[in-house]
């Protein structure tokens, strides 16, 4: 398939891949921030995609299991060059952070741990909350407009997410059905009933050297993680803890916390922590198998329904359903930001770092996020509780 460049104003696949490589290498803040960066850079600044295309991608990514930001990147690649473009876009987005966590895994193994990381994570976590807050606000402005029903769905899902500290797939589907039924309430009952069954039609059916048995177990387990966990690191971290620490005993509690910290202090998707975990379990081959197994389901769950999702998106009823799902997804993202903030801002010093980062983001909008994250990490190393 040709990769010939398109007119600069439309953004070719090569342009998109170059952007995703850069975002994967420098984008901090987890899924909320990453999808916010894509909206800011690809929709508002470069205008490579319309707001409608972005909203469709965000809705499909939230409906299907797997990491939100990676799925959105895959969908945007699919818009450019179909399945091949989706594969290349996903690879470009994940590759930089994969290389980083493998390198950190090698250092971790050689040094017997990363004692400095907890201090860095203390500062980075605080700054990340400021980035999340700004991105969540921008997403609400993009997806909810002035529709009171969409704002209500968003608020309810955000409250449930904060209360339960988990993301529930049925809330996204429920939000879509609610908006669909509300907008179709004046139509014939049979037509409404047929429209209410739409979500089921849109839900895709899915079908160093290490011992082969270990790699097979890694692959199967992390494929489960990619296939059955929705949204973000907020959901996948408890799932991974139950398997990696409690079920298989691959890592102890300290190692697992370090793995999560690695994911948070490196750019790209938080889910790339699976690469670090895989490396500790079975070296480079373990990292590759764990990462591929995690991201393959999200690729399939994006590419398989994408042609039908895009074709049906012009339907009034499909649009109502998508609007409801998007509102619910935005609420879940905002709720996740609150949950993460509650965990990261553990004392006045952390709160001060977060507030300072927010002021910098709002006052000096051209300050690169990686520079802000690095400064916060350095502050964390010298000011974290328990450090000299």
């Amino acid at each position: 398939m040709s990769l010939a460049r398109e007119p600069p104003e439309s953004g070719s696949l090569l342009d998109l891949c170059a952007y995703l490589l850069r975002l994967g290498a420098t984008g901090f803040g987890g899924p909320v921030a990453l999808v916010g960066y894509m909206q800011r850079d690809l929709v508002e600044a470069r205008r490579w995609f319309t707001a409608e295309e972005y909203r469709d991608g965000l809705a499909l990514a939230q409906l299907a299991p797997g990491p939100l930001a990676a799925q959105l990147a895959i969908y945007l690649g699919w818009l450019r060059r179909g399945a091949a473009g989706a594969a290349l876009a996903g690879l470009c987005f994940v590759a930089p952070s994969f290389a980083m966590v493998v390198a950190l895994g090698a250092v971790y193994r050689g040094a017997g741990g990363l004692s400095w990381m907890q201090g860095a994570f203390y500062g980075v976590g605080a700054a990340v909350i400021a980035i999340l807050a700004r991105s969540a606000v921008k997403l609400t402005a993009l997806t909810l407009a002035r529709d009171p029903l969409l704002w209500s769905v968003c608020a309810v899902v955000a409250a449930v997410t904060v209360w339960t500290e988990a993301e529930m797939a049925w809330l996204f589907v429920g939000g879509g059905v609610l908006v669909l039924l509300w907008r179709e309430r004046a139509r014939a009952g049979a037509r409404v009933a047929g429209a209410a069954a739409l979500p089921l039609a849109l839900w895709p059916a899915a079908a160093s050297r290490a011992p082969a048995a270990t790699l097979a177990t890694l692959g199967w387990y992390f494929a489960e993680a990619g296939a059955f966990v929705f949204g973000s690191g907020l959901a996948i971290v408890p799932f991974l803890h139950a398997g990696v620490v409690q079920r298989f005993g691959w890592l102890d509690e300290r190692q697992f916390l370090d793995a999560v910290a690695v994911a948070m202090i490196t750019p790209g998707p938080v889910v790339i922590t699976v690469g670090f975990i895989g490396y500790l379990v079975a070296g480079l081959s373990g990292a590759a198998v764990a990462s591929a197994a995690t991201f393959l389901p999200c690729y399939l769950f994006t590419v398989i329904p994408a042609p039908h999702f895009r074709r049906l998106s012009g339907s009034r009823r499909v649009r109502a359903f998508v609007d409801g799902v998007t509102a619910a997804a935005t609420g879940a993202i905002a709720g996740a930001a609150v949950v993460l903030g509650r965990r990261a801002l553990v004392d006045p010093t952390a709160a001060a770092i977060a507030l300072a980062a927010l002021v910098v983001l709002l006052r000096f909008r051209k300050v690169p996020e990686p520079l802000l994250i690095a400064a916060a990490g350095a502050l964390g190393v010298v000011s974290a509780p328990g450090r000299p």
Side-chain angles (χ1 to χ4, degrees):
M1 183 173 292
S2 173
L3 297 182
R5 294 179 66 85
E6 299 173 13
E9 62 270 20
S10 69
S12 69
L13 176 61
L14 292 180
D15 293 330
L16 177 63
C17 287
Y19 169 81
L20 292 174
L21 275 171
R22 184 166 63 254
L23 181 63
T26 62
F28 289 89
V32 182
L34 291 172
V35 299
Y37 298 152
M38 292 185 210
Q39 179 260 322
R40 178 195 66 190
D41 298 335
L42 301 180
V43 178
E44 294 180 356
R46 292 171 173 82
R47 300 185 184 278
W48 290 351
F49 300 93
T50 67
E52 183 179 48
E53 288 173 328
Y54 176 86
R55 285 195 297 266
D56 287 346
L58 183 61
L60 179 56
Q62 194 66 66
L63 268 177
L68 178 69
Q71 285 176 297
L72 180 56
I74 289 170
Y75 181 82
L76 296 177
W78 179 85
L79 286 178
R80 282 291 175 262
R81 285 291 186 275
L88 188 56
L91 180 63
C92 289
F93 181 58
V94 172
S97 53
F98 174 79
M100 292 179 198
V101 298
V102 167
L104 284 172
V107 173
Y108 188 97
R109 271 184 155 186
L114 297 176
S115 59
W116 55 269
M117 186 169 290
Q118 295 307 309
F121 178 59
Y122 172 82
V124 168
V128 162
I129 300 308
I131 295 174
L132 295 180
R134 185 186 64 170
S135 296
V137 170
K138 291 178 72 68
L139 279 175
T140 58
L142 175 70
T143 60
L144 305 183
R146 296 184 178 181
D147 190 320
L149 179 59
L150 297 183
W151 277 97
S152 298
V153 171
C154 175
V156 169
V157 175
V160 171
T161 302
V162 171
W163 179 261
T164 63
E165 299 191 359
E167 292 176 351
M168 302 178 184
W170 65 266
L171 285 177
F172 307 138
V173 178
V177 171
L178 174 63
V179 174
L180 171 60
L181 294 177
W182 180 262
R183 292 182 181 176
E184 293 287 313
R185 65 191 183 280
R187 302 187 178 275
R191 294 179 62 184
V192 174
L198 181 62
L200 297 178
L202 292 176
W203 195 272
S208 81
R209 300 178 59 85
T214 300
L215 293 178
T217 303
L218 275 172
W220 182 258
Y221 174 72
F222 284 106
E224 289 181 7
F228 295 107
V229 175
F230 285 76
S232 71
L234 178 67
I236 203 170
V237 166
F239 184 92
L240 292 178
H241 181 269
V244 170
V245 178
Q246 298 173 345
R247 179 179 171 189
F248 295 107
W250 286 328
L251 304 182
D252 59 29
E253 293 284 353
R254 176 74 271 152
Q255 290 172 321
F256 183 78
L257 289 175
D258 287 345
V260 175
V262 164
M264 291 300 292
I265 68 170
T266 52
V270 173
V271 178
I272 201 60
T273 188
V274 301
F276 186 83
I277 293 171
Y279 188 91
L280 295 187
V281 175
L284 181 59
S285 58
V289 167
S291 299
T294 301
F295 286 97
L296 179 60
C298 84
Y299 170 79
L300 296 176
F301 279 129
T302 302
V303 170
I304 291 174
H308 313 290
F309 190 85
R310 190 185 188 194
R311 176 172 54 83
L312 293 172
S313 63
S315 162
R316 181 188 66 254
R317 289 180 291 182
V318 173
R319 174 55 52 195
F321 178 72
V322 170
D323 285 347
V325 171
T326 304
T330 302
I333 291 171
V338 173
V339 172
L340 292 173
R342 200 160 54 193
R343 294 174 178 173
L345 307 183
V346 294
D347 57 34
T349 302
I353 294 175
L355 180 60
L358 184 59
V359 170
V360 170
L361 288 170
L362 296 177
R363 180 68 178 84
F364 307 100
R365 298 186 179 184
K366 293 186 178 181
V367 173
E369 283 88 358
L371 179 61
L372 183 66
I373 290 290
L379 283 174
V381 169
V382 300
S383 61
R387 297 188 64 86

